[in-house]
Amino acid sequence: MKTQPKARTHLGIKTFLFGVLVSCATPYAVAETPAKQDLQPVSAFADIKNEVTRSQSIFVEMGKVIQHPRCVNCHPKGDSPLQGMLMQPHQPPVMRGPGGTGMPGMQCKTCHLSENVDVVAQAADIKSIPGDPAWHLAPTSMAWEGKSLSDICAQIKDKKRNGGKTLQELKHHMSKDTLVGWGWEPGEGRIPAPGSQEAFGQLYVAWVASGAHCPK
Amino acid sequence: MTSSSSVNTSRRRFLGGSCLVVGFTLTPKGLAQAYDASNNASKSAAKTLNAFVIVAPDDTVTVLSKHIEFGQGPYTGLATLVAEEMDADWAQIRVDSAPADNELYANTMFGAQLTGGSTTMANSYTQMREAGATARTMLLAAAAIEWSVPASELTVEKGRIRHAKSGKESGFGAFAADAAKLTPPEKVTLKNSSDFVLIGENRPKVDTKVKTNGEAKFTLDLQLDNMLIATVLHPSHYGATVSSLDAKAALAIPGVVDVKAVPSGVAVYAENTYAALKGRQALNVKWNESAAETRSSEQIIDSYRAMIGKKGITATERGDISKAFSNDTSTTHEAEFVFPFLAHAPMEPLDAVLMRQRDGSIDCYAGSQFPTGDKQAISEVCQIDAGKVRIHTQLAGGSFGRRAQFNSPFMREASEVFKASGMSRPVKLFWTREDDIRGGFYRPIYVHQLKGAINADGTIDGWDQVVVGQSIRGKTDEVDETSVEGASDLPYVIENMRMVSHNTTNGVPPLWWRSVGHTHTAFTVEVFLDELLEKSGKDPIEGRLALLKNNPRESAVLRRVAQMASSAGKPAKGRVHGVAVHKSFSSYVAQIAEVSVQADGTPKVHKVWVAVDCGVAVNPNIIKAQMEGGVGYGLGAILYDEITLGEGGYIKQSNFHDYRSLRIGEMPEVIVEIIESNESPTGVGEPGVPPIGPAVANAWRRLTGKPVRRLPLVRSQLS
Amino acid sequence: MIKFQLNGKQTEFNGDPSTPLLWVIRDEKKLTGTKYGCGIAQCGACTVHLNGSTLRSCVTPISEVSGKEVTTIEGLLSSKVSAEATAVQRAWVAIDVPQCGYCQSGQVMSAVALLKANSNPTDQDIDNAMAGNICRCATYQRIRQGIHDAAGTLTASASSNVKGETA
């Protein structure tokens, strides 16, 4: 019941980074009821003549994914993940530790397994425990929580803050990485990120091809 | 493996001192027969010297505890009393739970066998010492006959009987059989406290080692041959009943044996726990909510507020309250306090194992806090004579009041589930955490209103308090002591004082929660008084002491705790102390909490100093543990916890993710000192809880300027 | 059929592969030291070790442990190979950590995992490692002390071993 007004109100200004599109969510008390959002295909931006504007618009569309709690929850600015659509502090409390995999005795894998696990006949708002073989927190350099989309965009392009990757090298991560892909398959009782990983990957490719311009 | 012989009875034996377990309540299959064979032999030879003491030929002394062990230490404490008067060696002591029997094992303060009100030591202190002294006298009498020497020439030390002149020496076991034939003495002489060897010593609990290596058996751990696991689907609105049931999908799950509607919901019976849970999830049930509580917590609170000012029941009145508040030169101060529903959430959710024997009698294994009530419930529901019901009280994974229920509603559910199964196989009913959190029997919602008057010379001379809430004892037109205790008996000298109580009803049943009325009254009294003292420019310690002039024991713990905190030096920058003192269950506890504000705006409680006066300290280690635990349990609740009824009355919380428990990083350092005393021992299980809330709230107010008016503190202060 | 190591012995499970490890251990294997407390990985009472690291058995389908090594409180303490386990249990008894005791198997499992990775933990390390283990009796102060004490005995025995070797 700690308050974090910023996290609650700034869904629209969070950042992306090379990384892991995840929510380490054992969701909080609030049932996830909002409808799943759509993601517009690349073709929807074809009419934008100005390449810079088109590129920026594509990134804004990608922002629906990037700033989704499923993704931001494990790109926190602090040392602990967030959880649920309200992006509240993770319960039980867990620290990022070396490599973002937790601390001795309390690692990500203490609770998060190689895949989502359905919970049977327990809390109505916890239908599953999310999982992926690579479950971990993004490093602090890649924190998105509390950042504007413009800042996140710059962060993604900055090799110092994206894991030393070129934009081409990031393509696999965006479109194929299973931990990123978890965002669209988050398990029972959790709202997936908008669209699909494939559609998101296509937007990424189109954004890079259009010059990778960042929104203002 | 035979089906029933693998069930051992309730004989749980712990070896004291080295804490070695030599037997279990129920042994895992495969070990059972060997265990039975070895144990039955020694059991049949063991002699019962009285209702509490069994001496075996191997010199072991088994103390029967009429009180349930769930961490508060009665097995150790009661055994210490017996061992002390027997002059036994601690290593020869074992402890076992007594059967359900009001004649033999009544709590002498309540007249029925029950554990509660922090009375274990208080009601047993003399009784158990007499049991020990009686056993000693009988053993010595038998030895005197055998050795043909006068009993007066015999001495006992560490379990060895000696006759100095003849050089004869023996353990207790050799005389157990002869002693058991003797008539117990009418009167025994108890030791002077100056002669105590065991009482007053720090001693680990007898059950510590088995609670460290996984061997301790709780009810959930019992596994009988051919046993069914049962779980009950309960409604999300307390009090709703089943209107229609479709069990087809549940019954199709492998391992699910049966599904039955029971009064509290729908029972699923299965061969294993997972099948029972899957079956429960697959149930299709429609509920009739006409009898359910449909108000939200906010609506309940508003309805309570509306009762303030209406005619209530006067719990206490002295002086002239209206005059105190009509004095033009006085200043007045007012506050409303709101307390939420609280669940107890013991680590082991409620559970019970019931089994019918071939002769039609029923054995029940449960963490039974009111065993004779449970016996009655089984007898009534299963329609057998109460004399044919045996209760085997198990170690219980916490209670905090949850297992102490008059009329035994949980055991009634377990009995209904057992009965509906046909009673042909043993049944273990187990509650999930959700059943526990949503299971009602909460610490009720209370609304308090307080008015205080400070006269021109700064004296607090008016105190007018109203409490509105459910009566735990079901009172309507008379005061329920559990609503006003700790406030109506205000220890502070205030000339004009009144407390009025309103009993309400609610569809969600109430229950006592560790320290009962003191959970809220101590908060109102100690917070409001602290504010009055601040407004009248007085020091929180000195101001209290001045008002406690007629109460030396409260004063003594307060002085001691102030001394403890001040000897630790000035608090670090950003940290502030808050104090509270409160008497409950005849024990006196003062606490000082050191609090700061964390980066996220929430309170951090760094340290808590505790001074406690509970009379004779039978085992200081256990007293300190109970103070530490009381602080932690109370702190988690006042900071984070509430059960909330949402719109339409559904219970919002369901598990530890939304009903927070204090976690290790939130646990303050707790420093405890015990006041030396020769008074009879009093309770320690609950009295550590009441002061922590007001001590923290007082520190918080002094730190932030924000008075705490509603619990839990974190939500009310930061949302 | 799922095969796995349980407390050093090969074992198998023939039932529903989605069955949580907790219920396999308790119902099938009759090892009841591992407790149910919440069923959703919030309280840590069900903690076991998987290949030496902590694991909440209540949310682990048995299929996940196929071919792996599971250790429960019973195996941890009977193996005698774990100096950490012995040190933790001794410390727990010496300062009388448990109250009701129901959560303590899980507390011990987490404490041992911590000490295996960090033989001299700070208060903060302890809080981080033990944050997932709820104790409603709030024995936390003694748990923290118990871990420090166990670390102390491990360090002492390690240094005496070193001396022994050099002597």
Side-chain angles (χ1 to χ4, degrees), chain B residues 208 221 223 278 662 670, chain C residues 16 26-27 35 96 140-141:
Chain B
T208 290
D221 303 331
Q223 291 174 328
K278 281 172 77 178
L662 194 82
V670 181
Chain C
D16 183 340
R26 288 178 54 87
D27 288 356
K35 305 300 187 200
D96 207 29
Y140 299 123
Q141 172 160 306

